[in-house]
Amino acid sequence: MKSFIINPPVFYGSIIVIGLFLAVGVVLPGQAGSLFGAVQTYILGAFGWFYLLSVGIFLISVLLLCFGRFGQLKLGPDDSVPDFRFVSWIAMLFAAGMGIGLMFYAVGEPMTHFMAPPTAEPRSVEAMRESMTVTFFHWGIHAWAIYAVVGLSLAYFGYRYNLPLTIRSGLYPLLKSRIDGPIGHAVDIFAIVGTMFGIATSLGVGVAQINAGLNHLLGVPIGIEVQLPLIAVVTAMATVSVVTGLDKGVRILSETNLIVAILLMVFVLVVGPTSQLFRDFVQNLGLYFDTLVLRTFNIYAYEPTPWIDSWTLFYWAWWISWSPFVGMFIARISRGRTVREFVTAVLFIPAGFTFFWMTVFGNTAMFIDTGVAAGALGTAIADDVSVGLFRFFEYLPLPAITSTLAVILVSIFFITSADSGALVVDSIAAGGETQTTTGQRVFWCAMEGVVAGCLLLAGGLTALQSATVASALPFAVVMLALVLSLYLGMREDLAQREAHGQNQLPAAQPASGQTWQRRLALMLTDATEKDVRRFIDTQVRPALDQMAAELSAKGRQSEVVEEADGAIALRSPAEGVRDFVYGVTLTNHRVASFTPVRAGEAEFRYEARTYFSSGNRGYDVMGMTRDQLISDVLAQFERYLHLVHSPELQLVHGAPEHQSGV
């Protein structure tokens, strides 16, 4: 039986922190709700400004990285190509923007702000404008800037530095090898705890809406006695999907769900005030961009209002807690993209769809409420926001069908969120490993249901929101460090690229030294995956071991480590500058379509490709002898030392003036 693959300090540390939160609800079931509420009030009162300022920094930072000189850098080696076609990649980003929240708040949030706006007169034309502006603000580019910081960090340091896809890897320029110590463990614990409570909040929101839908359709009572069994059922379904794998039924289900959601939106657009909605959409965009800067930093310091705590600050905490989950997803699909492509697409494509979605549902709801409903829709939503979507459908054709579809959509979003969230949390708890045991994936999936259920028992959605706000606070600090780390890492990479372009560095080509007959034979014979793995084990590892031993003997501590996907690397830490890394990994690419492939032959060409800490172009070393490999390592090390000691680059890398080389 395959044993669990975990990083013990992170795995057990996360369980302990989560357990402490849940213990409050178990030990003090009567007082838990008020206690969690008091915690939320204190955190938002004392640190609300910090949440608001942090999110503003995240947005400004990713825009500067995108449109500045760092935008040309790739999420991977310089010669990497995207894993997915542009259209497919955009489609997946588009899918990432959909979720339980959009179903729950599509009608509920605009109508709530319309009934009780932050500053305008309730139910006035000004309230209508303010309602949509605020809704756009909460679901717009600020939310995606939060996701972009984590996704960009994971993709950049994961694919360019060949580090594990865990949050700690994003702090490599700041911590170097210490990312594997207590600080790194704490960072991953914060990520897991925040993600767990963020997903639990979404599950709580989802189950409340499913309960409201069943009540509307079948008369099922609304209450915790129904919601807990619903959590158990949906968590069980998510567990089945975790066991069977994402590439089977769940992926198809998710894509179908997205299509049905879009069709539902188109239905509302067609049967609603169609031409008016397009006019509203343009106006909403104008109002959003007109107030963007003010709302980014407006904490109502001179006219304090509890509204901002309940809405903007809660949303920012919710998005921060969700960021490891969404960030991991968009990082995994973005290898080979440039920083500029990544940020532009992540910020504007999902947000653009969300804006149109909110306009269609929100403005139609206000049109109905001020017309045929005569205020009844707004009153129903003010009493219970979870019933908003179903009350809304009563004023449109085919309400039974649309309400049934809405319940199904929320249920599937519920399942896929729990499923994907469990896989992300499991990967972080396993030190970045993606091929873990079924048992531990099931464990994390079940834990999500337990957390959501316990917090609902302890204090309903208030308890879930309070846990999210509390868990997001330390991770907001981590994210600020990720921003600084991204800047430092990208600055070093760009400096190396520019230095190479100005011929400041000695050329480093693969030191083949092979006879021409041997080189010709390698050209005419494609290596298999087994051949490359054998070469790495029998030639590359011994050569790197010899080099590491010699470097260590001369006072330059070095080691050979196994990295992600079976790669092997010589790592030599250095103070003040990037570590020296010479790694070799198995890569493959599809044989060109015009290449004749005989029956039984592989359609892929496999290589033993080098990679370095700078992300510079690697090359195939398959077929080199040990001595030739050592010569190649020496050539790269000489190039690295030249960079470290270059007076033009001393300041860029922050190296001490008399940094020793070996």
Side-chain angles (χ1 to χ4, degrees), residues 442-512:
V442 169
F443 169 81
W444 285 113
C445 198
M447 180 64 74
E448 289 171 348
V450 169
V451 170
C454 287
L455 290 177
L456 275 178
L457 276 174
L461 283 178
T462 300
L464 289 165
Q465 293 175 354
S466 300
T468 300
V469 168
S471 63
L473 184 59
F475 196 67
V477 178
V478 171
M479 288 185 63
L480 289 172
L482 290 179
V483 170
L484 176 59
S485 196
L486 273 169
Y487 169 72
L488 294 175
M490 290 181 180
R491 185 178 67 170
E492 290 186 14
D493 284 348
L494 203 60
Q496 291 196 38
R497 173 186 284 190
E498 291 171 352
H500 185 268
Q502 296 165 7
N503 295 319
Q504 292 177 337
L505 303 178
Q509 300 295 333
S512 66

Side-chain angles (χ1 to χ4, degrees), residues 38-72:
V39 169
Q40 178 175 343
T41 301
Y42 170 75
I43 290 176
L44 293 181
F47 300 102
W49 63 270
F50 177 70
Y51 280 126
L52 208 69
L53 181 61
S54 296
V55 174
I57 291 172
F58 300 152
L59 178 59
I60 293 169
S61 298
V62 294
L63 288 173
L64 289 175
L65 293 176
C66 171
F67 296 113
R69 60 197 186 106
F70 300 138
Q72 61 187 295

Side-chain angles (χ1 to χ4, degrees), residues 79-121:
D79 59 347
S80 60
V81 295
D83 290 341
F84 300 96
R85 292 183 301 111
F86 184 77
V87 174
S88 299
W89 180 58
I90 293 300
M92 285 185 279
L93 287 177
F94 178 76
M98 288 294 296
I100 293 172
L102 282 183
M103 296 297 296
F104 188 88
Y105 288 108
V107 170
E109 180 167 355
M111 284 302 300
T112 300
H113 298 321
F114 176 59
M115 299 291 289
T119 59
E121 183 70 25

Side-chain angles (χ1 to χ4, degrees), residues 116-166:
T119 59
E121 183 70 25
R123 297 183 54 80
S124 63
V125 173
E126 182 57 35
M128 215 176 273
R129 283 195 283 262
E130 191 169 37
S131 167
M132 294 311 301
T133 306
V134 168
T135 301
F136 272 33
F137 179 63
H138 291 158
W139 292 86
I141 60 175
H142 288 74
W144 286 94
I146 294 170
Y147 299 152
V149 167
V150 178
L152 188 61
S153 176
L154 285 167
Y156 194 81
F157 295 108
Y159 299 136
R160 198 169 178 90
Y161 286 48
N162 211 46
L163 293 170
L165 282 178
T166 58

Side-chain angles (χ1 to χ4, degrees), residues 73-80 155-156 159-161 334-337 615-616:
L73 292 170
K74 280 195 172 183
L75 304 180
D78 289 338
D79 59 347
S80 60
Y156 194 81
Y159 299 136
R160 198 169 178 90
Y161 286 48
S334 300
R335 187 181 190 277
R337 297 287 168 190
N616 289 336

